[in-house]
């Protein structure tokens, strides 16, 4: 009985299998374009259908074990190509809850619930893929916010699909069948209209535009998950503040703008809260000057905001608005104490941040060059003849040094102490009688003088931009301004009043950086000196050369400010009438002198902008190197050798170090003494050496290469 039942079951199973196999056959037809298939199957097993599709299309499939179905039915009335068969295959998979996911050379057949995690292909071109293939696309949205499109598109995406919004890029990420994505793209294009490009301007009366934008941004901040998605009233609009006219510019769709504008109008009300107080420490600016400037700014800003279009009532409102602003300067801390409404406080802080910046420093180098050439020559003849009884005659020229008149007076008085020979050569001849008296005499004098002078003064000064600076190098000379004596009842009280004046070189300059590489200089340069006494002046005589000008100069450019060129020629002839005009012999009766003085004075200026501290340090080291170059020389080995016994340190950073460094023996003994003192007593001594060794022990001397020691060679 059991064997008969088994035989019946086997026959039924074989009959069913043969029937199913017969129903899964596909007829193949040959055409000019290639093979085509007519697929007609009913209630077929999906595994067998996948095998047939693999043979038709030549594709390789990997089937998930969970893919099982025995009721696949496909009816085709016309031949299909390989690509059409594959599209038909994708539709069959979708109907039965499966999906095909390409992965390299194979195609994975998985359940559609896990397909979106199976590395779906990302396509960028909208029309490159169609049909039932599962793909992922990123769709950018131009006008509408993507957060508003998600609720509309979510019902169109199947449960196994994926739809997400990226607010930062305003784009949608969709994983679905290609045909469904094409349909959603068409819906997005119809919803993403240009209506959101419309702009509306709102004039604020009380609130500050910048604060209003910040307030609206607070309403649309990221949610607690931190995904930066914009939401709320401003989700479909862009709000920009025009601080110059205190207006809001709103760009967005009509509905969002209709919700935003009433909210802005409700917030644009006069402030009833008292203003806050802040203390602002200035880093570079001057507190007093900054306070005065901010007071004027606050008054002007209040007048503009309160007075636009309000007629005579503006003055009252301006006074009230200005009264709410208090700005005081604390010079001890170089700080500002400001009390103002929040909107005014923000404006004042913005002004302070732009004004309290580091100013550039300008090095002004001046050069005063004076070249003088002086040539002079003189030649003269003087004569005397006669005696004291019968009379004396002489030819005398006193302007050429010693005169024949002074010689004659010395002979008569027998006192030669008043005779002094002048410069040049002086020669005399004559004859005396038996008594030793001069019968006649002649005196010849000749002089030639050449003087060349080259003076160079190079003062320099460093100052801030727009800050006046001056340097004076010279002497303080006393000048007598008055004398008086009072006499009465035998009492005498004489006195003399003096006034001291600076005599020397003075340079005053105020630089203004006019551009990136241009400096405007307000200059005043003066050179004065005490003139040698000529015997004619009743007091000290000074010479003065002064230059005051305003010029433009480029950075590190040397320009000539001005100068004085003088050429003084003097030719003097003193002669005896008639005799001095005789040709050739007339030179014996003349005294001639010639003088030629040529002076060239020029003033040059060179500004250098030191915008950064590095450039300032480099300049300082360069200047200091020029000073130390006078005290050292470079030997044949390329080493520095001192020229003086106690030279300056070769590094400018060590110029403030002690000139007498502590020896190593003293340093070691001192430290041992401190250790011993600490062990003997737990408390520091009230007198004696300072225990802070770091503050009293100088640093070690730098190596000999940077500062030569006493043992090095010297000239």
């Amino acid at each position: 009985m059991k064997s008969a039942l088994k035989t019946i079951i086997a026959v039924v199973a074989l009959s069913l299998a043969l029937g199913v196999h017969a129903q899964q056959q596909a007829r193949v037809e040959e055409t000019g374009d290639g093979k085509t298939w007519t697929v007609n199957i009913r209630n077929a097993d999906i595994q067998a259908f996948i095998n047939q599709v693999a043979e038709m299309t030549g594709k390789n499939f990997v089937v998930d074990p969970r893919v099982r179905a025995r009721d696949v039915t496909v009816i085709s009335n016309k031949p299909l190509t390989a690509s059409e068969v594959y599209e038909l295959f994708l539709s069959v998979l979708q109907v039965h809850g499966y999906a095909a996911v390409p992965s390299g050379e194979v195609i994975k057949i998985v359940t559609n619930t896990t397909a979106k995690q199976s590395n779906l292909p990302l396509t960028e071109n909208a029309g490159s893929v169609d049909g039932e293939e599962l793909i992922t696309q990123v769709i950018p949205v131009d006008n509408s916010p993507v957060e508003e499109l998600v609720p509309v598109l979510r019902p169109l995406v199947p449960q196994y699909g994926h739809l997400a919004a990226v607010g930062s890029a305003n784009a949608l990420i969709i994983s679905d069948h290609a045909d469904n994505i094409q349909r959603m793209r068409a819906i997005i294009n119809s919803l993403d209209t240009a209506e959101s490009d419309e702009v509306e301007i709102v004039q604020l009366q009380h609130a500050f535009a910048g604060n209003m934008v910040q307030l609206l941004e607070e309403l649309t901040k990221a949610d607690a998950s931190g995904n930066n998605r914009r939401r709320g009233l401003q989700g479909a609009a862009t709000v920009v503040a025009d601080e110059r006219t205190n207006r809001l510019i709103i760009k967005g769709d009509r509905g969002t703008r209709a919700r935003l504008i009433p909210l802005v109008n409700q917030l644009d009300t006069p402030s009833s809260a008292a203003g806050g107080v802040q203390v602002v420490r200035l880093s570079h600016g001057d507190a007093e000057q900054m306070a005065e400037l901010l007071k004027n700014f606050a008054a002007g800003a209040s007048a503009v905001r309160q007075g636009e279009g309000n007629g005579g009532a503006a003055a009252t409102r301006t006074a009230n608005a200005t009264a709410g602003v208090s700005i005081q300067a604390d010079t001890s801390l170089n700080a500002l104490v400001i009390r103002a409404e929040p909107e005014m406080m923000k404006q004042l802080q913005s002004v302070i941040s732009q004004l309290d910046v580091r100013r550039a420093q300008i090095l002004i180098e001046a050069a005063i060059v004076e070249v003088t050439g002086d040539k002079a020559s003189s030649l003269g003849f003087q004569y005397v003849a006669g005696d004291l009884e019968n009379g004396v005659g002489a030819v005398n020229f006193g302007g050429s040094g010693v005169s024949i008149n002074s010689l004659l007076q010395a002979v008569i008085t027998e006192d030669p102490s008043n005779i002094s020979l002048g410069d040049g050569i002086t020669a005399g001849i004559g004859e005396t009688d038996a008594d030793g008296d001069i019968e006649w005499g002649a005196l010849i004098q000749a002089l030639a003088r050449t003087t060349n002078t080259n003076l160079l003064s190079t003062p320099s000064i460093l100052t801030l931009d727009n800050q006046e600076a001056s340097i004076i190098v010279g002497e303080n000379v006393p000048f007598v301004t008055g004398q008086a004596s009072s006499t009465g009842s035998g009492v005498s009280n004489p006195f003399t009043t003096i006034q001291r004046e600076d005599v020397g070189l003075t340079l005053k300059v105020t630089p203004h950086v006019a551009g990136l590489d241009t400096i405007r200089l307000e200059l005043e340069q003066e050179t004065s000196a005490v003139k040698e006494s000529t015997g004619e002046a009743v007091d000290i005589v000074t010479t003065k050369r002064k230059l005051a000008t305003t010029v433009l100069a480029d950075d590190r450019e040397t320009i000539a400010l001005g100068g004085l060129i003088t050429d003084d020629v003097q030719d003097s002839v003193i002669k005896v009438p008639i005799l001095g005009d005789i040709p050739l012999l007339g030179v014996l009766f003349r005294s001639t002198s010639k003088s030629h003085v040529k002076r060239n004075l020029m003033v040059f200026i060179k500004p250098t902008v030191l915008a950064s501290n590095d450039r300032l340090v480099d300049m300082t080291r360069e200047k200091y190197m020029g000073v130390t170059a006078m005290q050292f020389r470079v030997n044949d080995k390329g080493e520095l050798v001192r020229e003086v016994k106690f030279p300056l340190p070769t590094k400018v950073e060590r110029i403030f170090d002690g000139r007498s460094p502590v020896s190593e023996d003293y340093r070691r003994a001192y430290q041992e003494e401190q250790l011993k003192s600490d062990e003997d007593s737990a408390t520091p001594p009230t007198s004696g050496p300072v225990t802070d060794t770091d503050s009293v022990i100088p640093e070690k001397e730098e190596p000999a290469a940077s500062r030569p020691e006493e043992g090095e060679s010297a000239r």
Side-chain angles (χ1 to χ4, degrees), residues 141-179:
V141 181
D142 296 330
N143 303 307
S144 302
V146 292
E147 290 82 357
E148 293 187 355
L149 295 177
V150 170
V152 178
L153 300 177
R154 177 70 70 184
L156 303 179
V157 180
Q159 186 177 2
Y160 55 83
H162 178 72
L163 174 64
V166 182
S168 59
N170 204 44
L172 294 171
I173 299 178
I174 305 177
S175 294
D176 199 354
H177 298 282
D179 289 342

Side-chain angles (χ1 to χ4, degrees), residues 323-610:
V325 179
S326 174
I327 303 173
Q328 302 295 329
D330 183 2
T331 56
S332 61
L333 295 177
N334 195 37
L336 297 174
V337 182
I338 305 176
R339 180 183 182 274
E341 299 294 337
E343 56 208 56
M344 178 60 70
M345 181 71 74
K346 185 176 182 62
Q347 296 184 53
L348 294 176
Q349 289 177 339
S350 176
V351 173
I352 293 173
S353 64
Q354 298 180 60
L355 293 179
D356 187 28
V357 295
R358 175 171 176 165
R359 288 188 289 174
Q361 299 186 88
I362 297 94
L363 174 66
I364 309 298
E365 298 175 277
I368 298 94
V369 181
E370 183 174 1
V371 179
T372 304
D374 183 1
K375 293 183 178 181
S377 61
S378 61
L379 177 64
F381 296 88
Q382 301 179 65
Y383 307 96
V384 63
D387 54 47
L388 296 178
E389 296 179 356
N390 299 321
V392 177
V395 176
N396 179 71
F397 302 116
S400 301
V402 64
S403 63
I404 198 72
N405 185 28
S406 61
L407 291 175
L408 183 60
Q409 185 177 2
V411 172
I412 295 174
T413 60
E414 296 182 356
D415 182 12
S417 61
N418 294 328
I419 300 176
S420 62
L421 299 179
D423 298 332
I425 184 173
T426 303
I429 58 175
E431 184 179 355
T432 59
D433 56 13
D435 298 331
D437 297 329
I438 296 177
E439 294 184 350
W440 64 273
L443 185 64
I444 304 173
Q445 289 180 313
L447 172 66
R449 183 179 68 249
T450 301
T451 304
N452 293 316
T453 305
N454 186 0
L455 299 177
L456 175 63
S457 301
T458 56
S460 61
I461 191 169
L462 180 67
T463 182
L464 287 174
D465 182 26
N466 300 315
Q467 189 72 38
E468 180 181 312
S470 63
I471 182 173
I472 299 175
V473 180
E475 299 176 342
N476 195 257
V477 180
F479 292 88
V480 178
T481 58
Q483 291 180 344
S485 61
S486 59
T487 58
S489 302
V491 178
S492 177
N493 185 22
F495 66 90
T496 302
T497 60
I498 62 173
Q499 181 178 352
R500 293 185 173 272
E501 298 288 345
D502 292 329
V503 176
L505 189 147
T506 303
L507 175 64
K508 293 182 180 180
V509 60
T510 304
H512 308 278
V513 178
L516 295 177
D517 297 317
T518 305
I519 305 99
R520 180 169 61 90
L521 300 171
E522 297 177 6
L523 288 160
E524 183 177 331
Q525 192 276 323
E526 179 180 319
T527 303
S528 57
V530 177
K531 189 177 181 180
E532 295 182 1
S533 177
T534 59
E536 299 177 358
V538 296
D539 203 352
I540 299 175
V541 178
T542 60
T543 61
K544 182 178 180 180
R545 302 179 183 91
K546 184 176 181 180
L547 182 148
T549 182
T550 301
V551 297
L552 282 176
D554 290 339
D555 183 24
R556 297 187 177 183
E557 178 188 25
T558 302
I559 61 174
L561 294 181
L564 174 65
I565 299 176
T566 59
D567 195 353
D568 187 5
V569 179
Q570 294 183 356
D571 193 351
S572 176
V573 178
I574 304 175
K575 61 183 178 179
V576 177
I578 301 174
L579 296 179
D581 296 329
I582 299 174
L584 298 178
L585 294 178
V587 69
L588 300 176
F589 302 94
R590 292 196 301 263
S591 176
T592 61
S593 63
K594 294 182 180 181
S595 175
H596 185 190
V597 180
K598 190 172 184 178
R599 182 179 293 106
N600 192 343
L601 173 66
M602 295 296 294
V603 180
F604 300 90
I605 201 77
K606 177 185 176 183
T608 302
V609 179
L610 306 175

